[in-house]
Amino acid sequence: MTTQARPTGICWQAHRGGGAHEAPDNTMAANRYAWKLGGIPEADIRTTKDGVIVCLHDETASRTTTAPAESKDKPISALTFEETRAWDAGIKFDAKFRGEKIPALEEAFSEMRGHPERMMYLDLKDANLVHLGRLIDRYGVNGQLIFTHHRQENCRETNRRRRAKHVVDRRKRGANPTEI
């Protein structure tokens, strides 16, 4: 198991990734802004129709994007990731953020990989825990996440899966089962 650097001192969580006053919420620009200041950006996570976990606070993209009339009030779960990529998630906030997109959570994890000081606060809105766990494992960001959900059972399940994975990983490395 690799040791990851943990922030020292007081940690602060950037609500919606820092989006409210500084950058458009739940965008990569907001995440980068929070990381640059030493904060922990929050990502509200939902799943698109085709199974991509994205960062989006609201159930629809109406408030934060340029989604067209026929799509803006549909739940993100009824739309494909490719559809969401056609919309601008920055321009409504400020012209300097033109071109920002609703990011796939994988994009954030990609920028966290190899940067143990970059952490993220995940607020599970609508995402499959098994799929989320696989994504976390693929990018190796397990020690860089804070997880929350209004259903405590999901928090317990996430912790149970993390512990079970730790046991499997140690067995793969040849640990004596009595030591686990």
Side-chain angles (χ1 to χ4, degrees), residues 53 104-106 109 130-141:
I53 299 175
L105 183 60
E106 192 165 355
F109 286 177
V130 172
H131 181 70
L132 175 60
R134 288 183 186 136
L135 195 60
I136 291 167
D137 290 342
R138 184 180 322 138
Y139 284 88
V141 295

Side-chain angles (χ1 to χ4, degrees), residues 7-76:
T8 58
I10 296 173
C11 297
W12 60 275
Q13 180 256 331
H15 187 60
R16 296 185 191 173
H21 305 288
E22 300 84 8
D25 69 287
N26 277 281
T27 61
M28 290 307 297
N31 294 337
R32 291 178 192 121
Y33 177 80
W35 287 327
K36 183 179 176 183
L37 295 178
I40 302 171
E42 173 195 25
D44 299 285
I45 58 174
R46 298 180 177 279
T47 307
T48 61
K49 180 180 180 178
D50 51 348
V52 177
I53 299 175
V54 297
C55 304
L56 183 69
H57 181 271
D58 304 348
E59 187 176 5
T60 71
S62 176
R63 178 180 62 85
T64 59
T65 75
T66 59
E70 65 271 9
S71 301
K72 72 176 190 159
D73 294 321
K74 288 183 180 178
I76 204 74

Side-chain angles (χ1 to χ4, degrees), residues 140-151:
V141 295
N142 307 59
Q144 294 167 257
L145 300 172
I146 299 169
F147 181 79
T148 187
H149 190 264
H150 66 275
R151 287 186 50 222

Side-chain angles (χ1 to χ4, degrees), residues 4-7 35 38-40 111-112 114-119 144:
Q4 299 206 9
R6 287 285 201 189
W35 287 327
I40 302 171
E111 291 196 18
M112 292 169 65
H115 295 276
E117 73 284 0
R118 292 182 182 171
M119 296 183 67
Q144 294 167 257

Side-chain angles (χ1 to χ4, degrees), residues 145-161:
L145 300 172
I146 299 169
F147 181 79
T148 187
H149 190 264
H150 66 275
R151 287 186 50 222
Q152 296 307 304
E153 181 53 37
N154 283 337
C155 295
R156 283 191 290 275
E157 178 65 12
T158 300
N159 195 41
R160 185 191 67 73
R161 289 179 184 280

Side-chain angles (χ1 to χ4, degrees), residues 20 41 53 75 81 87 113 144 158-159 176 179:
I53 299 175
F81 182 63
W87 314 329
R113 180 189 278 172
Q144 294 167 257
T158 300
N159 195 41
N176 181 337
E179 296 173 353

